Amino acid sequence: MMALAETEDDGFIYFPDGNASVARLLLARLVPEAFPGDPDVSGIVTARARYDLLDRPGAPVAVRLGATVFDVRHAGPAGRSREVEVRYRRDGADHRVRAGHVIMACWTSVTSYVLRDLPPEQAAAMRYGVKVPLVYARAAVRDWTAFAAARVSRVDTPTLYWNGFHLPPATRLGDYTSPRDPELPGVVQLMKTPNHPGLPMKEQYQAGREHLSAVSFATLERELRTAMVRALGPYGFDPGRDIAAITVNRWAHGYTYEYTSLDDAEVLGRPEAERPAALARRPLGRVTIAGSDAAPSPTPTPPSTRPTAP
Ligand SMILES: Cc1cc2nc3c(=O)[nH]c(=O)nc-3n(C[C@H](O)[C@H](O)[C@H](O)COP(=O)(O)OP(=O)(O)OC[C@H]3O[C@@H](n4cnc5c(N)ncnc54)[C@H](O)[C@@H]3O)c2cc1C
């Protein structure tokens, strides 16, 4: 038995289900009864959520899933109102609740339409960024002996359709242990950032989004098989035999927009407090703006560069 990609001692924690574990840890603190056993970082991966306990009448915190908010406005002038009215749609019906405070933590471009009493310049600042499209694929393989034979856990393929593919980092968290034996099944991850080199970034992202909505699954699958067999075919990989299943997730609006010196030189020349994200995240009355667009960064920002509160 061989162990490749032993990365668990590199100081990072890898959750096999991605950021879902982060959301589940937050939920476990907000609604403890929904996560019996008070799971921590090492227990969250295998913890089973009690969905039926997330939204109970009278509970101090209620999490209502599947509720799309479409109208948020103060019950009166934003600066003086004591309540915010929130309208949402769930199970085909419209509902209304009143809140003392609201945190809008979705994509700020959407917030600019949903939060009805925003000043126009703040709404415009919320629409400045263009989300970055991404496509992720997973290939379930019957074994990963070809990776072991090639002595690699990651292959970059910059000239092919997919940016590259890799085995997930080996992780041991509580009761969860990722596959260690190359003779046993595994999952290969692939990623592509669809874009259009030569255009300004925002137009590249829009072009990438158009590509994502047009490209067929057959093309994505063929390119996946091509990349893997070109790299690992000499080490015994046979896509027809070895790939058991493929899933593709198209993230039309994936990462938060980040300023670049190429396209946002004017914005970067302003003090941080005057850039679009800072203008966008200004609280409005009893509504606070959160989420990665408020940073603006899709990944954790080092404390030294974190923007100050408005
Ligand atoms: C494919 C992919 C891989 C990534 N990998 C990593 C990674 O490895 N590490 C990392 O640090 N970051 C990663 N990121 C980035 C990270 O996931 C995001 O930056 C982060 O989740 C953004 O958090 P957020 O709270 O701003 O928005 P979200 O996590 O998108 O949360 C917004 C929430 O608001 C809800 N919502 C939106 N509109 C409404 C509405 N009208 N009514 C009700 N609810 C609404 C959405 O359903 C969603 O739950 C990845 C992102 C993607 C797309």
Side-chain angles (χ1 to χ4, degrees), residues 18-19 64 66-71 87-88 104-107 110-111 114 131-132 134-136 138 191 249 251 253-256 290-294 297-300:
N19 289 346
R64 193 152 300 162
T68 303
V69 175
F70 62 88
D71 193 308
R87 294 176 67 199
Y88 65 93
M104 298 292 291
C106 61
W107 179 15
V110 170
T111 299
V114 172
K131 290 270 197 190
V132 183
L134 294 168
V135 52
Y136 271 36
R138 300 277 188 274
M191 181 183 151
N249 284 296
W251 299 83
H253 303 273
Y255 279 163
T256 281
S292 53
D293 290 346
S297 170
T299 47

Side-chain angles (χ1 to χ4, degrees), residues 242-267:
D242 294 336
I243 296 179
I246 296 171
T247 60
V248 173
N249 284 296
R250 306 176 201 221
W251 299 83
H253 303 273
Y255 279 163
T256 281
Y257 185 79
E258 289 180 283
Y259 310 128
T260 69
S261 54
L262 266 183
D263 292 326
D264 306 287
E266 185 275 320
V267 161

Side-chain angles (χ1 to χ4, degrees), residues 1 64 71 80 88 100 135 141 192 230 247 298 301 303 310:
M1 175 166 148
R64 193 152 300 162
D71 193 308
R80 297 198 301 277
Y88 65 93
V135 52
V141 288
K192 177 178 175 63
R230 282 182 63 173
T247 60
T301 315

Side-chain angles (χ1 to χ4, degrees), residues 71-74 76-79 84 102 104 106-128 276-290:
D71 193 308
V72 178
R73 65 183 79 202
H74 289 84
V84 187
V102 168
M104 298 292 291
C106 61
W107 179 15
T108 54
S109 184
V110 170
T111 299
S112 75
Y113 295 99
V114 172
L115 183 52
R116 303 300 171 116
D117 39 13
L118 272 173
E121 62 279 8
Q122 187 167 359
M126 287 180 166
R127 294 173 201 155
Y128 177 83
L279 303 176
R281 67 173 180 260
R282 282 182 305 195
L284 177 76
R286 291 176 169 267
V287 179
T288 305
I289 312 298

